Amino acid sequence: MKLASYFEIPSVSSKSYKVWQRNKDVFMKDIKLNFLPPFIEPLLYLVALGFGLGRFVESIDGVPYARFIAPALISISVMYAAFFECSYSSYVRMYYQKTFDAIIATPLTIEDVIAGELLWGATRSMINATVMIPVIALFGLIDLRYSLLIIPFAFLGGLLFAAIGMCFTAVTPNIMAINYPVLLFITPMFLFSGTFFPLDALPQAIQYFAIAFLPLTHIVNIIRSLSYGILELSLLFDLIWIIVVCAVLLVFSINMMKKRLIV
């Protein structure tokens, strides 16, 4: 497949909704177990870091440390939910369960299958954000006036990380190899995207790198501003960055997976 073919607009139909629905039905079978991690995770982080470590940390830009990291926890959950759903889980459905082969045997196309997977990955991010917001709100750490906007934004952010995860799924030789992008890409974002400390505390070169190449940086900026109840014009840059990169990676990921599945 030529390089230009990776950027061809894929022919995705509304039938991709069936793939999304199939994954949703599987998710709902263990709904209690699936809802438990996004409910407990923010509590553990808030108690250990926000209220524990936060006792020894001065306020950041006039904001208590617990309130500073609360929106970052939502952002991290958005990243993890979509990335792992479209990397490990998609790989299992593709290689071990042969779910992709079974669906492609129906009138659905490869593009529909991958698009449905991407939509489900984004939905998982939105579900996690929806569960976490009320938990964090109980501690009075977010402004509910604008925080509800985090829910639809989580879908967009999830779509971006779903596409990233799918790109790695398309090239990974085995499921254990997915550990490499987790270690070399996801973990650095977890630490160096303005999550647990301000981005301007880092050397300037790393700040530029985070802004240019780490998607979580832009997601944290927007979710943190919404949780504070602040809408600034500078957020347009973050939003445009996410939309543009997401659009490119969605096309790229579908075409990469198409090449893998055809071969």
Side-chain angles (χ1 to χ4, degrees):
M1 183 179 283
K2 296 180 179 179
L3 181 61
S5 63
Y6 286 108
F7 294 95
E8 293 177 356
I9 303 300
S11 56
V12 178
S13 72
S14 60
K15 294 177 182 178
S16 58
Y17 167 75
K18 295 296 184 180
V19 180
W20 177 92
Q21 187 177 42
R22 179 263 173 201
N23 291 341
K24 183 265 296 180
D25 291 341
V26 173
F27 176 84
M28 295 298 290
K29 287 183 179 180
D30 296 313
I31 187 170
K32 292 182 180 179
L33 182 63
N34 289 324
F35 270 99
L36 198 59
F39 180 81
I40 294 180
E41 185 180 27
L43 292 176
L44 296 177
Y45 276 108
L46 284 175
V47 172
L49 297 178
F51 300 116
L53 180 63
R55 294 179 59 189
F56 305 96
V57 178
E58 295 183 2
S59 61
I60 299 176
D61 297 328
V63 177
Y65 188 65
R67 193 179 184 197
F68 177 80
I69 68 168
L73 298 180
I74 300 175
S75 305
I76 291 168
S77 183
V78 166
M79 174 181 71
Y80 279 159
F83 180 84
F84 285 113
E85 184 65 36
C86 288
S87 55
Y88 285 106
S89 297
S90 288
Y91 191 92
V92 168
R93 287 190 285 268
M94 174 184 67
Y95 186 80
Y96 295 103
Q97 297 179 345
K98 305 296 181 182
T99 303
F100 288 11
D101 292 340
I103 298 176
I104 293 171
T106 70
L108 275 73
T109 64
I110 294 176
E111 291 93 334
D112 293 331
V113 174
I114 305 309
E117 288 282 307
L118 293 168
L119 289 173
W120 175 242
T123 302
R124 283 298 308 271
S125 292
M126 188 170 67
I127 291 172
N128 278 23
T130 304
V131 173
M132 291 180 69
I133 287 173
V135 177
I136 294 175
L138 289 175
F139 292 92
L141 299 177
I142 57 177
D143 188 327
L144 285 177
R145 292 177 301 169
Y146 293 106
S147 292
L148 293 179
L149 294 175
I150 294 174
I151 296 174
F153 175 73
F155 184 88
L156 175 62
L159 201 59
L160 172 58
F161 279 107
I164 293 172
M166 195 61 73
C167 285
F168 285 117
T169 301
V171 298
T172 187
N174 55 69
I175 196 168
M176 294 302 297
I178 300 176
N179 290 330
Y180 291 109
V182 173
L183 176 64
L184 300 175
F185 186 57
I186 297 299
T187 300
M189 278 196 290
F190 176 83
L191 298 172
F192 301 112
S193 295
T195 48
F196 300 108
F197 52 86
L199 200 61
D200 56 18
L202 296 170
Q204 199 168 47
I206 298 180
Q207 292 182 44
Y208 290 147
F209 179 83
I211 293 171
F213 298 107
L214 300 184
L216 186 61
T217 302
H218 304 280
I219 292 175
V220 168
N221 287 343
I222 293 178
I223 291 182
R224 181 168 283 141
S225 293
L226 291 175
S227 68
Y228 290 172
I230 300 173
L231 295 178
E232 298 177 338
L233 192 61
S234 60
L235 295 179
L236 281 176
F237 168 75
D238 297 300
L239 184 60
I240 292 172
W241 191 99
I242 292 171
I243 292 173
V244 171
V245 174
C246 182
V248 172
L249 289 180
L250 284 174
V251 172
F252 202 55
S253 62
I254 293 176
N255 287 329
M256 288 178 68
M257 283 296 292
K258 182 179 179 181
K259 178 180 182 296
R260 171 164 189 160
L261 291 172
I262 288 177
V263 172

